């Protein structure tokens, strides 16, 4: 293992720019994860622990690196795999002869996983820890088992390395994009070298297409147009006309030829601008969470049960519904924006066999995929949108 697995890297900085500046930037967040895996020396014959409630691009990056994904179930309260789930899955995998080299800890919906105990457990077994920060910017964590501090810390600094996404649906967006960063200087140097030697730059046409799509998004997207926008985006993706769209080829058994790609100048410029606006975004999302919880309580509906070690800034507000298909049908009819996943490894057309997924191994993840919808938290959501969404949900409870 590398030297990065020997000590926990912690940052005392509270500068919100730290996660972006000084990182290694890529065309997509999934490539940032792949770069971390390769920079850690993970490959053929190795295994990587990750949770079963995630995007299929995460285990796909593991398989492209030559390793095998091993799935842990989630805690139904946090939607994250916590230490008991990782311990249970690792024990079974080790008994079967697996060589686990890393653990990917996801902060789902922006809710922090209890990462401190996971880091100590993993390091005691020679495993690297990678944080999946794609759902969060601004969430904070407090390690209740660390006697030396009771301070809140930004996520992304507790592990060997962290990766982020700036896809359209994320709290910090450059249209598409992602980055990887590490507090360990040798590992960060290897990430930079990987991007320089192994990755290509996007072409002028790709960058121009992304710029056009960003302009259309800013001009037209509203919560009331969510369902129309989803339909158009899916159509364009199928035709290969949407930059960064979810196409079938990234989920095949072989890594796409253009997978390893650096971030364009346009994305970097947008990222610098997003950093300057970050305080406004965080304030808005915290305010929306308060509005949702007030409305949900007034409607007699459950609110998010946040552990005392977590201070989340939510990507979406998750809520379970008794008949998800009917809720989504009615949301489409009423033009109420809701987000959802169709499978524990979303999207469902991914090659589940190639990704090592087996139905029944992660029952809580499967239950969440069948029940959870996400209330929107972006800048264009207002109090009226909150009220309409909660009225819809109350109708089905």
């Amino acid at each position: 293992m590398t030297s990065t697995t020997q000590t926990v890297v912690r940052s005392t900085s509270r500068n919100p720019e730290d996660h972006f500046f000084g990182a290694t930037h890529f065309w997509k967040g999934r490539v940032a994860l792949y770069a971390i895996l390769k920079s850690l020396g993970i490959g053929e014959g190795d295994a990587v622990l990750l949770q079963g409630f995630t995007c299929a691009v995460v285990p796909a990056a593991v398989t492209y690196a030559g390793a095998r994904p091993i799935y842990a179930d989630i805690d139904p309260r946090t939607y994250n795999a916590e230490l008991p789930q990782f311990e249970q899955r690792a024990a079974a995998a080790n008994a079967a002869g697996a060589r686990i080299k890393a653990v990917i800890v996801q902060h789902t919906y922006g809710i922090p996983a209890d990462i401190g105990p996971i880091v100590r457990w993993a390091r005691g077994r020679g495993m690297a820890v990678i944080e999946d920060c794609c759902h969060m910017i601004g969430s904070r964590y407090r390690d209740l088992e660390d006697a030396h501090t009771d301070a809140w810390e930004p996520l992304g600094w507790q592990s060997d390395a962290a990766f982020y996404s700036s896809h359209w649906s994320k709290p910090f967006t450059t249209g598409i994009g992602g980055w990887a960063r590490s507090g360990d200087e040798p590992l960060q140097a290897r990430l930079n070298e990987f991007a320089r030697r192994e990755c290509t730059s996007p072409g002028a046409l790709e960058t121009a297409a992304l710029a056009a799509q960003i302009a259309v998004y800013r001009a037209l997207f509203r919560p009331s147009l969510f369902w129309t926008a989803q339909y158009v985006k899916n159509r364009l993706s199928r035709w290969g006309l949407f930059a960064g769209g979810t196409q079938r080829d990234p989920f095949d058994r072989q890594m796409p030829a253009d997978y390893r790609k650096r971030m364009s100048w346009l994305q970097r410029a947008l990222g610098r601008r997003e950093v300057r606006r970050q305080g406004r975004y965080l304030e808005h999302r915290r305010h929306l969470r308060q509005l949702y919880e007030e409305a949900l309580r007034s409607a007699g509906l459950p609110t998010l049960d946040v552990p005392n070690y977590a201070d989340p800034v939510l990507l979406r507000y998750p809520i379970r519904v008794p008949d998800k298909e009917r809720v989504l049908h009615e949301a489409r009819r009423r033009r109420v924006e809701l987000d959802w996943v169709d499978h524990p490894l979303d999207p469902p057309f991914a090659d589940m066999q190639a990704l090592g997924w087996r139905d029944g191994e992660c029952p809580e993840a499967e239950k969440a995929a069948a029940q959870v919808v996400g209330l929107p938290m972006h800048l264009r959501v207002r109090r009226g949108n909150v009220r309409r969404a909660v009225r819809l949900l109350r109708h089905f409870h």
Side-chain angles (χ1 to χ4, degrees):
M1 296 299 293
T2 66
S3 62
T4 60
T5 63
Q6 303 305 311
T7 58
V8 179
V9 178
R10 292 186 184 274
S11 169
T12 57
S13 170
R14 296 297 183 267
N15 187 341
E17 302 176 359
D18 285 348
H19 64 84
F20 186 78
F21 295 116
T24 310
H25 301 93
F26 298 93
W27 181 243
K28 296 180 182 179
R30 65 197 71 174
V31 187
L33 170 58
Y34 177 80
I36 292 172
L37 294 168
K38 298 299 287 185
S39 297
L40 285 169
I42 293 171
E44 294 292 337
D46 297 331
V48 176
L49 273 176
L50 66 153
Q51 71 177 56
F53 189 58
T54 191
C55 180
V57 300
V58 176
V62 173
T63 62
Y64 294 160
R68 178 167 67 94
I70 297 177
Y71 300 99
D73 206 359
I74 60 170
D75 185 313
R77 179 187 180 192
T78 64
Y79 302 100
N80 298 317
E82 307 289 358
L83 180 56
Q85 288 82 24
F86 281 130
E87 286 180 317
Q88 181 181 21
R89 194 67 186 93
N94 287 332
R99 189 172 67 198
I100 302 174
K101 288 294 189 69
V103 182
I104 299 174
V105 181
Q106 178 176 302
H107 305 297
T108 312
Y109 299 123
I111 304 167
D114 192 4
I115 191 169
I118 297 172
V119 167
R120 289 187 286 274
W121 169 78
R123 293 190 187 284
R125 289 153 182 80
M127 294 184 285
V129 180
I130 302 166
E131 280 182 86
D132 180 345
C133 294
C134 293
H135 285 198
M136 64 114 259
I137 296 292
S139 295
R140 300 187 304 168
Y141 169 74
R142 181 171 56 186
D143 190 346
L144 300 179
E145 296 183 11
D146 187 344
H148 300 291
T149 180
D150 61 355
W152 290 103
E153 296 182 331
L155 291 169
W157 297 92
Q158 284 74 20
S159 54
D160 295 299
F163 68 100
Y164 299 77
S165 171
S166 51
H167 187 268
W168 306 93
S169 60
K170 301 304 188 293
F172 181 111
T173 182
T174 60
I176 57 174
W179 57 97
R181 53 142 309 278
S182 174
D184 179 81
E185 291 184 5
L187 178 55
Q188 188 66 58
R190 290 196 295 276
L191 288 168
N192 293 337
E193 184 68 5
F194 176 88
R196 187 179 70 84
R197 295 179 64 91
E198 302 293 333
C199 298
T200 61
S201 295
L205 288 178
E206 287 177 297
T207 304
L210 179 59
Q213 288 163 199
I214 291 171
V216 171
Y217 173 86
R218 289 176 180 165
L220 300 179
F221 180 73
R222 299 290 185 276
S224 61
L225 296 176
F226 171 78
W227 294 97
T228 302
Q230 286 288 97
Y231 174 80
V232 172
K233 180 173 74 69
N234 290 339
R235 284 288 182 179
L236 292 176
S237 295
R238 290 193 191 110
W239 298 334
L241 301 176
F242 191 83
T246 301
Q247 303 169 32
R248 293 182 182 269
D249 62 308
F251 307 100
D252 288 341
R253 293 175 182 267
Q254 299 298 319
M255 183 172 66
D258 62 348
Y259 185 83
R260 294 176 292 190
K261 196 178 296 183
R262 293 184 287 267
M263 185 177 275
S264 68
W265 65 266
L266 173 65
Q267 293 161 295
R268 291 193 299 273
L270 291 172
R272 290 191 292 270
R273 188 188 66 179
E274 290 285 283
V275 165
R276 294 194 297 270
R277 299 180 176 185
Q278 190 166 293
R280 174 190 173 200
Y281 297 160
L282 302 185
E283 181 181 357
H284 181 75
R285 288 176 182 272
R286 289 186 183 278
H287 179 60
L288 279 181
R289 177 186 164 194
Q290 181 181 355
L291 291 180
Y292 276 124
E293 293 189 339
E294 290 172 355
L296 289 166
R297 290 191 190 102
S298 296
L301 299 176
T303 57
L304 193 62
D305 183 12
V306 177
N308 58 357
Y309 56 75
D311 178 27
V313 176
L314 297 176
L315 172 67
R316 301 181 190 93
Y317 195 107
I319 188 165
R320 295 178 187 257
V321 295
D323 191 338
K324 184 173 171 179
E325 186 175 345
R326 286 185 60 207
V327 168
L328 293 175
H329 175 79
E330 188 65 15
R332 186 181 293 106
R333 189 183 71 83
R334 297 189 190 186
R335 300 172 72 184
V336 172
E337 181 179 350
L338 289 180
D339 211 300
W340 74 100
V341 299
D342 291 317
H343 189 276
L345 298 187
D346 204 63
F349 57 68
D351 188 337
M352 298 302 167
Q353 184 177 2
L355 298 179
W357 176 263
R358 290 189 291 183
D359 291 339
E361 279 192 339
C362 300
E364 289 295 342
E366 293 182 29
K367 188 183 299 183
Q371 295 177 345
V372 175
V373 295
L375 302 170
M377 302 286 289
H378 56 78
L379 279 176
R380 296 186 178 182
V381 177
R382 297 290 183 264
R383 187 182 296 268
N385 304 115
V386 171
R387 290 172 177 167
R388 283 191 290 275
V390 173
R391 279 200 299 268
L392 170 69
L393 296 176
R394 184 176 57 185
H395 178 75
F396 288 94
H397 275 77

